[in-house]
Amino acid sequence: MTGRLILLTDLDDTLFASERSLPDGATRAHMAAVDGDGQPLSYQTPQQQRIWSLFSEQADIIVPVTGRTSYALDRVNLTFKADYAVVSHGALLLHNGQLLPAWQEHLAPQQAAAQANITQARRALTEILEYQFPGVVLSLRELSDLEVPVYLSIKAPESLPHGLHQALHDVAAAHDLTLHMNRRNAALRPAYTCKAATCDYLLKQVINRQPEDTVIALGDSLSDLKFMAASDMTVIPTRSQIWHQLKGHAQ
């Protein structure tokens, strides 16, 4: 066969899962990641280990595409067949653990504005919480990785107040940020914090995808669909957010 087999893969809840996210009664076949203190955190089931073994043996290039930071990727106990990684929800494209110089040049003109927008959005949300949601306790953090602004993180102990959703949309729009949200967490991201855009750059400008290449993408969450769309085929866990959404439409 001609062409390369290129694998773009999400990590957490796709190739492995934390102790609390594993299915009840699941066998822990392989310790796949540790926490910041070096203690076991995530495991592969026998099925995940088998899928990973098949792909890692056959693929020519394997690129992790993950929300993990550059330093959290170092805690993953899997060997990838590539010197590249897309981390921090797509904000960073790494080569041998360092920011790819061409990607750094791509980001440079955007970083100052992104940092200003994230900081201003945090201040705006702080005021909104103080005056419109007294007593609601949320964590607001400006996150960066390798000195690159990544996003504004909003976390709730249980769930985000329903009335806050519109405020988050409004603040994101006012500060040129994109809102990503689930029940407990939200993130306001600059345009470059995007797995799909970074994977597109990687395939076209770095790996130099050819017509004979076959690209397979693995992912579990709805937010992964955009980067997975660049592939020829996808693999989706049947306990994933994507799968449950598809089942709902099928019914």
Side-chain angles (χ1 to χ4, degrees), residues 140-228:
L140 303 182
R141 294 179 59 205
E142 298 180 35
L143 300 181
S144 62
D145 189 4
L146 297 180
E147 301 183 356
V148 175
V150 175
Y151 63 93
L152 174 64
S153 168
I154 302 101
K155 290 189 176 183
E158 297 297 332
S159 62
L160 294 169
H162 180 70
L164 185 62
H165 294 181
Q166 187 58 51
L168 290 171
H169 281 285
D170 292 343
V171 170
H175 296 89
D176 198 25
L177 300 170
T178 301
L179 173 64
H180 295 259
M181 184 169 53
N182 57 33
R183 187 176 66 86
R184 291 182 55 190
N185 305 318
L188 273 60
R189 304 176 183 174
Y192 59 71
T193 302
C194 174
K195 288 181 178 180
T198 308
C199 285
D200 182 68
Y201 181 93
L202 172 70
L203 290 172
K204 293 179 179 177
Q205 305 296 327
V206 181
I207 294 179
N208 190 23
R209 181 181 185 177
Q210 299 297 309
E212 298 82 9
D213 291 337
T214 301
V215 179
I216 298 178
L218 283 74
D220 72 292
S221 69
L222 292 172
S223 62
D224 290 329
L225 284 173
K226 288 184 179 179
F227 94 78
M228 295 168 73

